């Protein structure tokens, strides 16, 4: 198995990098209550600074080739933070789990190709970065909540959505669904 490694920053350094990169990319800064909530959500520079959303996607494409398509990207920060990138190549379905703290590939899974896979791919460059989406979710939830995990994937209606799962200190869960291109919060029932 091919071993690929990138290096991560501390949570505090990642928060500073997130705010700095976001301000440089969009001309705006994150809300105060969003800084530092997703420790490895910073823009990543492979094999140098941090493994974040972009780093995980780039690592998947580096491993499987630039033609690999992405179906979903998720972040789970509950115990041992990791990113999971699901996608496909011409020959097979692929899943890669990457440690958000070390950049090490934790696991790789390969399955037979899915017949409807073209309909399920997302344009990772055409959607809002997770930093903005998680900041909007935290703003909606309130200061008592913290991000536990998020996922971005295409839905049956042709749109791409983020689902952000948060918990407060009392263990209460809140999910916020956000359209990934426009940033519109979708009412949930």
């Amino acid at each position: 198995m091919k071993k690929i490694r990138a290096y991560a920053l501390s949570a505090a350094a990642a928060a500073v990098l997130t705010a700095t990169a976001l301000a440089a990319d969009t001309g705006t800064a994150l809300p105060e209550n969003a800084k530092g909530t997703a420790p490895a959500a910073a823009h990543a520079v492979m094999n140098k600074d941090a493994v974040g959303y972009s780093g995980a996607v780039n690592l998947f494409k580096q491993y499987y080739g630039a033609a690999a398509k992405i179906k979903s990207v998720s972040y789970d920060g509950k115990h041992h933070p990791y990113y999971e990138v699901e996608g496909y190549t011409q020959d097979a379905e692929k899943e890669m789990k990457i440690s958000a703290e070390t950049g090490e590939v934790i696991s790789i899974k390969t399955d037979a190709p899915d017949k409807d896979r073209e309909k399920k791919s997302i344009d990772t460059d055409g959607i809002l970065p997770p930093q903005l989406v998680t900041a909007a979710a935290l703003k909606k939830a309130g200061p008592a909540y913290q991000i536990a995990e998020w996922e971005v994937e295409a839905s049956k209606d042709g749109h791409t959505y983020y689902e952000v799962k948060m918990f407060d200190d009392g263990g209460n869960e809140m999910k916020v669904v956000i359209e990934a291109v426009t940033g519109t919060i979708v009412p949930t029932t």
Side-chain angles (χ1 to χ4, degrees):
M1 178 190 315
K2 191 175 184 182
K3 190 163 187 168
I4 299 176
R5 183 177 278 259
Y7 299 95
L9 295 172
S10 70
V16 170
L17 180 58
T18 299
T20 305
L22 183 61
D25 286 351
T26 64
T28 59
L30 287 173
E32 284 300 314
N33 69 339
K35 292 180 182 173
T37 56
H43 286 283
V45 179
M46 291 306 300
N47 298 319
K48 185 178 178 202
D49 293 324
V51 177
Y53 164 78
S54 297
V57 168
N58 289 340
L59 187 57
F60 183 88
K61 290 193 173 214
Q62 178 183 351
Y63 196 85
Y64 293 114
K69 302 286 185 183
I70 306 291
K71 289 179 15 179
S72 70
V73 180
S74 60
Y75 171 80
D76 186 331
K78 289 181 280 200
H79 300 291
H80 300 286
Y82 68 88
Y83 288 90
E84 180 176 281
V85 183
E86 294 183 33
Y88 57 90
T89 62
Q90 187 174 1
D91 303 340
E93 299 290 312
K94 304 289 185 179
E95 177 185 292
M96 178 182 280
K97 288 185 181 178
I98 304 152
S99 168
E101 296 172 329
T102 67
E104 187 174 340
V105 174
I106 299 168
S107 68
I108 293 176
K109 182 178 174 185
T110 301
D111 289 321
D114 181 356
K115 292 178 260 181
D116 297 326
R117 63 185 178 185
E118 280 297 326
K119 296 177 187 175
K120 296 179 183 175
S121 67
I122 60 175
D123 174 12
T124 56
D125 293 327
I127 61 174
L128 294 170
Q131 305 92 293
L132 287 176
V133 174
T134 55
L138 283 169
K139 184 175 180 181
K140 179 172 177 52
Y145 284 86
Q146 295 182 345
I147 304 291
E149 59 188 66
W150 57 259
E151 180 174 20
V152 59
E153 67 182 335
S155 72
K156 293 178 182 177
D157 69 3
H159 291 266
T160 301
Y161 295 98
Y162 278 93
E163 182 178 287
V164 182
K165 197 181 283 187
M166 299 166 285
F167 292 93
D168 67 9
D169 290 338
N172 298 310
E173 180 181 335
M174 181 175 189
K175 286 184 189 176
V176 177
V177 177
I178 299 175
E179 206 282 334
V181 174
T182 66
T184 303
I185 294 177
V186 178
T188 57
T189 55

